[in-house]
Amino acid sequence: MKIFEVPGYAAISETGFIFLGNTGETFNLNEIGKEIYELIKKKKPYDEIVSEIMNNYDSDQLTVERDLDDFINQLKSFGLVTEK
Amino acid sequence: MKIAVTGLNATDNPGPGVPVIRSLKEGGLPELQIIGLVYDSLEPGIYMDGLADKHYLIPYPSAGLEPLMEWLGYINSIEKIDMIIPTLDSELYAFVKLAPKLKALGIKTFLPSADQLNIRGKDKLFNFCKAEGINVPKNILAATLQDIYRVTSELSLPAVVKGIFYEAYIANNLEETSSYFRKIANKWGYPIIIQEYIRGTEYNVVALGDGNGGMTGAVPMKKLYITDKGKGWAGVSIQEPALLRISEKVISSIKWKGGMELEFMRSETTGEFYLLEINPRFPAWVYLAVGAGQNLPSAMVRMALGEEVQPFRDYKVGKMFVRCSWDILADITKLEQISTLGVI
């Protein structure tokens, strides 16, 4: 079961603005990006995130998984999440 | 108490005088009065209402130590100054040399020795860092145009061409290298430092050394916006233990006394920090440290007065600054007074 983690130095605001305290970098997430990031922050496993997004956005599993993988890879490349 | 501060040139290449004064004014120093010491009658700090209580024109250090000391003695005979804080790289050697004479007049300073100033000089930094195990870009000290050709064999292009006090340019080929060499040499003299270019992100630290090897405080910052002169126009305080560790090592090794700015580049290939420069004074963004919870200029004054100052242990991460360009209106009589009488 894949679980991702938000590092302690990453702070996210209600508007989806992320500040990395260790590098000073900032990022903006859109609504769904923020929703996923909050789920990761709550330590929800990958499968649960997929189901929640499928339910909330009326989308099929394949599409959600493909987009989520792409998004998580971007988050990892910027140091915004790590894989447990 | 009366404190005289230099560097009121709050221009697009700002001196640290204005933020140092702002910091002192918020430092709870008793009956504080500020004397601005200016080199030019158009230094913007003169025209900022409520900043300094009085301003005096002083001669450039290049005019020699005697004229400078003579003026400082004259100003002191009127003002009875308790402390002078020089804030510009180019004047520090002069003030370090004058420190004993100033002390004899009852004027305190909190400055490194000439030897300590030399150790961190742009021309000596490489050897210092190598000896201390700190990552540092390779460099060439160029005294003649001939030295430029060593770039191709000893470094690679692009390279950074730097003046001994100020200015730095990125040169992409030998032609640019020699053009910047001439430009900087004409302005700041020799040697010219040609430094390996480390591609990455720039980080800076403002720190205060107590003169006994202790670091009284330090705040690291990432520049969020950099001007075409390479100056940080916006920045944010960050939490990066590695930067504080290196800063503490530098201060402890040199037994640095006074304010300091350490400039780092985090290599995008290795992720490691390279120490690019050590500036021997507070930077123009020192007020960010005050906002983050460390009033370093004020702590420096207290140490100069002989108070025991406990080192700062913490600061607020995510405090940011943004500079602005703001026109100050003044009557021409202000310019008339400072430029003719030398005092306002």
Side-chain angles (χ1 to χ4, degrees), chain B residues 131-159:
Chain B
E132 295 295 327
I134 297 168
N135 289 329
V136 61
K138 284 181 267 182
N139 71 10
I140 291 169
L141 301 179
T144 67
L145 269 173
Q146 199 68 26
D147 291 329
I148 286 171
Y149 296 98
R150 289 165 52 202
V151 172
T152 44
S153 57
E154 294 175 35
L155 304 177
S156 59
L157 287 162

Side-chain angles (χ1 to χ4, degrees), chain B residues 212-227:
Chain B
N212 298 312
M215 187 165 81
T216 307
V219 175
M221 177 273 283
K222 181 194 184 242
K223 289 179 182 176
L224 295 176
Y225 186 91
I226 300 175
T227 67

Side-chain angles (χ1 to χ4, degrees), chain A residues 19-25, chain B residues 203 222 224 236 238-239 318:
Chain A
F19 171 63
L20 291 186
N22 64 332
T23 62
E25 288 170 295
Chain B
Y203 293 88
K222 181 194 184 242
L224 295 176
V236 62
I238 59 156
Q239 184 172 36

Side-chain angles (χ1 to χ4, degrees), chain B residues 238-266:
Chain B
I238 59 156
Q239 184 172 36
E240 179 46 81
L243 290 173
L244 294 178
R245 268 199 310 275
I246 302 170
S247 305
E248 200 156 18
K249 195 173 190 179
V250 168
I251 284 180
S252 153
S253 163
I254 308 180
K255 291 194 168 43
W256 187 259
K257 189 177 179 184
M260 170 183 268
E261 180 191 30
L262 300 102
E263 297 186 2
F264 294 91
M265 190 68 86
R266 183 177 217 161

Side-chain angles (χ1 to χ4, degrees), chain B residues 55-224:
Chain B
H55 308 85
Y56 286 91
L57 265 177
I58 56 171
Y60 282 100
S62 54
L65 291 183
E66 276 186 27
L68 179 60
M69 189 60 220
E70 202 176 307
W71 264 104
L72 294 174
Y74 165 72
I75 295 167
N76 188 54
S77 71
I78 301 165
E79 301 294 344
K80 303 283 176 262
I81 296 166
D82 293 292
M83 183 172 180
I84 289 185
I85 305 179
T87 66
L88 304 172
D89 302 38
S90 53
E91 67 187 4
L92 275 177
Y93 279 97
F95 277 95
V96 165
K97 282 182 186 160
L98 292 178
K101 287 184 177 175
L102 293 169
K103 192 179 174 190
L105 293 178
I107 303 174
K108 293 179 173 59
T109 54
F110 200 78
L111 297 169
S113 67
D115 286 343
Q116 289 170 325
L117 265 184
N118 286 333
I119 291 172
R120 45 62 37 198
K122 293 180 190 183
D123 52 340
K124 308 261 189 330
L125 185 69
F126 181 79
N127 290 339
F128 168 75
C129 288
K130 279 288 159 200
E132 295 295 327
I134 297 168
N135 289 329
V136 61
K138 284 181 267 182
N139 71 10
I140 291 169
L141 301 179
T144 67
L145 269 173
Q146 199 68 26
D147 291 329
I148 286 171
Y149 296 98
R150 289 165 52 202
V151 172
T152 44
S153 57
E154 294 175 35
L155 304 177
S156 59
L157 287 162
V160 185
V161 187
K162 287 178 163 186
I164 189 77
F165 287 124
Y166 300 108
E167 289 195 32
Y169 299 95
I170 296 167
N172 293 295
N173 50 50
L174 280 181
E175 265 181 26
E176 282 183 9
T177 310
S178 68
S179 154
Y180 292 136
F181 174 93
R182 285 195 194 92
K183 182 175 177 170
I184 296 174
N186 283 339
K187 211 163 169 186
W188 302 111
Y190 299 97
I192 303 298
I193 297 100
I194 305 176
Q195 200 173 53
E196 178 190 4
Y197 177 63
I198 307 285
R199 204 175 291 278
T201 311
E202 206 176 316
Y203 293 88
N204 291 21
V205 177
V206 55
L208 174 62
D210 64 8
N212 298 312
M215 187 165 81
T216 307
V219 175
M221 177 273 283
K222 181 194 184 242
K223 289 179 182 176
L224 295 176

